[in-house]
Amino acid sequence: MHVPDGFIDAPVSVAAGAVAAAAVAVSLRGARRELGDVAGSPRLGSERTAPLAGLVAAFIFAVQMLNFPVAAGTSGHLLGGALAAILVGPYTGVLCVSVVLLMQGILFADGGLTALGVNITTMGVVTVVVSYAVFTLLVKVLPKGRRSVTAAAFVGALVSVPASAAFFTLLYAIGGTTDVPIGKVLTAMVGVHVLIGIGEAAITALTVGAVIAVRPDLVHGARGLTTGLKLRVGGELVDAPAAAPAPVAARSTRKVWAAGLVTTLVLAGFVSYYASASPDGLEKVAADQGIDRKVEEHAAAGSPLADYGVKDVSDARLSGGLAGVIGVGTTVAFGTGVFWVVRRRRTAQAPVV
């Protein structure tokens, strides 16, 4: 779904860039709340949330390197909007995907620089808004519990991918640079991305379920969903007294963060070598429908990390692995820095009591 330069004309690209900039600005304000106090401790909130959000961005970067086959000659990869929104909140989720797309565009020549606004809007804003709306609706109507959160995450992620594909088709109908039948583009884009959405849903549900099983308190979408304990007193059910909060030390996220980082590095540095080499859904549809006739060379095509390989390293396995590790390190560092600044701004603006 990474749109290259030349697919969408300049006016629509500029308009999409303005929408993306506005969405990022709104998300920066919203993320201050999502990255706010944890268990009433500003210090703990700052220590926990910024590194975890940076890790989520790095994990999305790594998993996007793992293209999986969805049809003959076609592959797909995680978009990540649903996963980020459910784990760290929708506003922070938009920022996570935006950080990933920025790193990919600048360092790896993946996704056009003039199309950055298109990509943020399509892959970040649309997927987050659609997935989190579906997720929130489902957790309200399903029985409270971990399984319901995981199921809602699956459905939200599944719906978000074809929604993103449909939105790209809308942009192309307005500002496409080639004259192709939009109906065929829509059918092809939505059709293949429904299949990709199944993979997206599986990855999202498995990841959310794994985190919930270990630390449900770290899943933004699972907050407040636990059913309170009931006691029968005099024949009537009453709420049991709330348990005392766990000590701060017991809520440390260092082990979770370290385990997540190691997993992310293994995915990007080793597992990515075995990813499908087939073109992804957008690339396949673009080639079949003639959308790519006016594609432009990427402005960062000369980057030493272009196409997810390290320049002058001849061994493909080593080159791709090193590029993945560098990408993860850069994304987690840059993302954590961004979220730390956002978090500190909220702390600085908080009234003294």
Side-chain angles (χ1 to χ4, degrees):
M1 281 291 289
H2 292 77
V3 179
D5 297 320
F7 274 23
I8 306 295
D9 64 21
V12 174
S13 294
V14 171
V19 171
V24 168
V26 171
S27 296
L28 285 170
R29 295 180 63 87
R32 294 175 193 168
R33 297 189 297 272
E34 293 173 348
L35 298 171
D37 298 350
V38 175
S41 170
R43 180 185 64 82
L44 181 59
S46 179
E47 290 178 353
R48 288 175 58 173
T49 53
L52 287 173
L55 178 60
V56 168
F59 182 78
I60 291 172
F61 171 89
V63 180
Q64 283 195 2
M65 295 180 66
L66 308 180
N67 281 46
F68 49 85
V70 295
T74 309
S75 70
H77 62 70
L78 182 82
L79 298 187
L83 178 62
I86 295 165
L87 287 180
V88 293
Y91 294 107
T92 310
V94 170
L95 298 181
C96 282
V97 179
S98 299
V99 166
V100 172
L101 292 171
L102 183 62
M103 295 297 98
Q104 290 170 333
I106 293 176
L107 298 179
F108 298 91
D110 189 11
L113 295 183
T114 63
L116 182 60
V118 172
N119 285 320
I120 290 176
T121 304
T122 303
M123 296 178 63
V125 179
V126 172
T127 57
V128 166
V129 170
V130 171
S131 65
Y132 203 72
V134 173
F135 172 83
T136 303
L137 175 63
L138 288 178
V139 294
K140 287 181 178 179
V141 300
L142 292 174
K144 291 184 178 180
R146 298 177 183 179
R147 292 183 179 179
S148 295
V149 174
T150 303
F154 183 94
V155 177
L158 175 62
V159 174
S160 70
V161 178
S164 179
F167 186 80
F168 164 78
T169 306
L170 173 62
L171 292 181
Y172 195 82
I174 300 172
T177 56
T178 58
D179 185 16
V180 297
I182 296 302
K184 290 184 178 180
V185 175
L186 177 63
T187 301
M189 283 292 292
V190 173
V192 71
H193 283 89
V194 166
L195 300 177
I196 295 172
I198 296 173
E200 176 103 11
I203 295 170
T204 301
L206 288 172
T207 305
V208 170
V211 179
I212 288 179
V214 179
R215 291 291 300 271
D217 59 304
L218 299 181
V219 179
H220 178 90
R223 294 177 184 174
L225 295 178
T226 55
T227 303
L229 179 64
K230 298 287 186 179
L231 296 177
R232 187 174 294 277
V233 179
E236 296 183 359
L237 289 176
V238 297
D239 293 330
V248 169
R251 296 195 298 266
S252 173
T253 61
R254 292 180 181 177
K255 291 183 178 180
V256 175
W257 188 89
L261 181 60
V262 170
T263 301
T264 301
L265 288 170
V266 169
L267 291 174
F270 177 73
V271 180
S272 62
Y273 179 76
Y274 301 97
S276 173
S278 299
D280 67 22
L282 176 60
E283 292 172 334
K284 179 65 173 175
V285 172
D288 290 346
Q289 302 297 327
I291 294 176
D292 60 355
R293 288 198 294 266
K294 294 186 178 181
V295 66
E296 300 173 4
E297 184 179 18
H298 199 286
S303 166
L305 297 173
D307 297 324
Y308 297 93
V310 178
K311 187 178 181 181
D312 297 330
V313 176
S314 58
D315 184 273
R317 185 193 298 268
L318 179 60
S319 178
L322 285 175
V325 169
I326 293 171
V328 167
T330 305
T331 303
V332 76
F334 182 77
T336 300
V338 169
F339 298 125
W340 186 268
V341 170
V342 171
R343 177 65 190 90
R344 286 183 63 86
R345 286 190 64 183
R346 173 172 171 79
T347 302
Q349 293 175 0
V352 179
V353 293

